[in-house]
Amino acid sequence: MPVDGRRPRKRVLIVSARIGAGHDGAARAIAARLTQHDVEHADFLDLLPGTLGQRLCDTYHRQLSSAPRTWNWLLTGLGTPGLAALAIRLSWLAGDRLLARTGCDLVVSTYPLASHAMARLRATGRSGTPFAVYLTDPWVHRLSVCPAADLHVAANPTAAAMAQRFGATWVEIASPAVGPAF
């Protein structure tokens, strides 16, 4: 600890995605709580190669505006081992750009594919940065849980129990990460 008794500021990278508003909103709320640290924000979609991230975002918005009922079908499909594994492999495409941003003390992910990309960096020995997953939804999806994460943060006991069933080893419950107006 420094002589003046203050803790040194830590560098925190929060990775969200502009798909929907929940991931970015949670990222902003978490950043607002971390006033004693230096916080940087990255959009996972911008870490994907070329225009892939923007195309995914555009496809999501088109799907919700033209066929919103299919969103549940997609989430159900992504809950199966085969499609979940495919989505996780897709996340690895962001690995190099994410690695370039991880020269920090902690990574916090509010977006599932960012969590899995970070897990891949850790599993391959390319990053030793600790990382936490903030579960943005009160009902947890299989893809939202990343067993390699050091910590999962859930907004309620139900979400925490679901995260543990999907393999999260350390889960804490915290008040929801929402803006002050909420």
Side-chain angles (χ1 to χ4, degrees):
M1 185 172 283
V3 178
D4 65 4
R6 290 184 296 162
R7 289 185 175 174
R9 294 177 70 84
K10 301 288 185 182
R11 292 179 56 227
V12 179
L13 172 65
I14 302 175
V15 186
S16 66
R18 62 187 176 275
I19 288 184
H23 304 290
D24 281 341
R28 283 190 299 276
I30 292 167
R33 293 179 187 180
L34 298 176
T35 57
Q36 72 279 16
H37 302 296
D38 296 322
V39 178
E40 181 184 350
H41 178 254
D43 188 311
F44 178 79
L45 298 178
D46 294 335
L47 302 176
L48 290 168
T51 60
L52 180 58
Q54 188 57 51
R55 288 192 322 231
L56 284 173
C57 187
D58 293 345
T59 300
Y60 167 80
H61 289 276
R62 251 190 323 278
Q63 177 186 14
L64 289 186
S65 64
S66 62
R69 290 184 184 181
T70 63
W71 181 243
N72 188 47
W73 298 343
L74 178 61
L75 284 181
T76 300
L78 288 170
T80 64
L83 283 179
L86 181 63
I88 289 168
R89 282 194 294 279
L90 171 72
S91 77
W92 299 347
L93 294 173
D96 290 339
R97 289 183 176 156
L98 179 57
L99 181 62
R101 306 288 294 269
T102 60
C104 55
D105 298 297
L106 174 67
V107 173
V108 177
S109 171
T110 67
Y111 183 61
L113 295 182
S115 305
H116 291 289
M118 191 64 202
R120 174 72 171 180
L121 292 174
R122 294 262 302 265
T124 59
R126 296 177 68 199
S127 175
T129 304
F131 79 100
V133 172
Y134 180 80
L135 300 166
T136 57
D137 296 320
W139 188 261
V140 176
H141 188 272
R142 171 186 305 278
L143 199 57
S144 299
V145 175
C146 183
D150 298 295
L151 170 68
H152 284 75
V153 179
N156 62 54
T158 301
M162 292 176 77
Q164 287 175 324
R165 280 196 300 276
F166 287 132
T169 54
W170 181 17
V171 182
E172 293 288 333
I173 300 170
S175 61
V178 295
F182 187 79

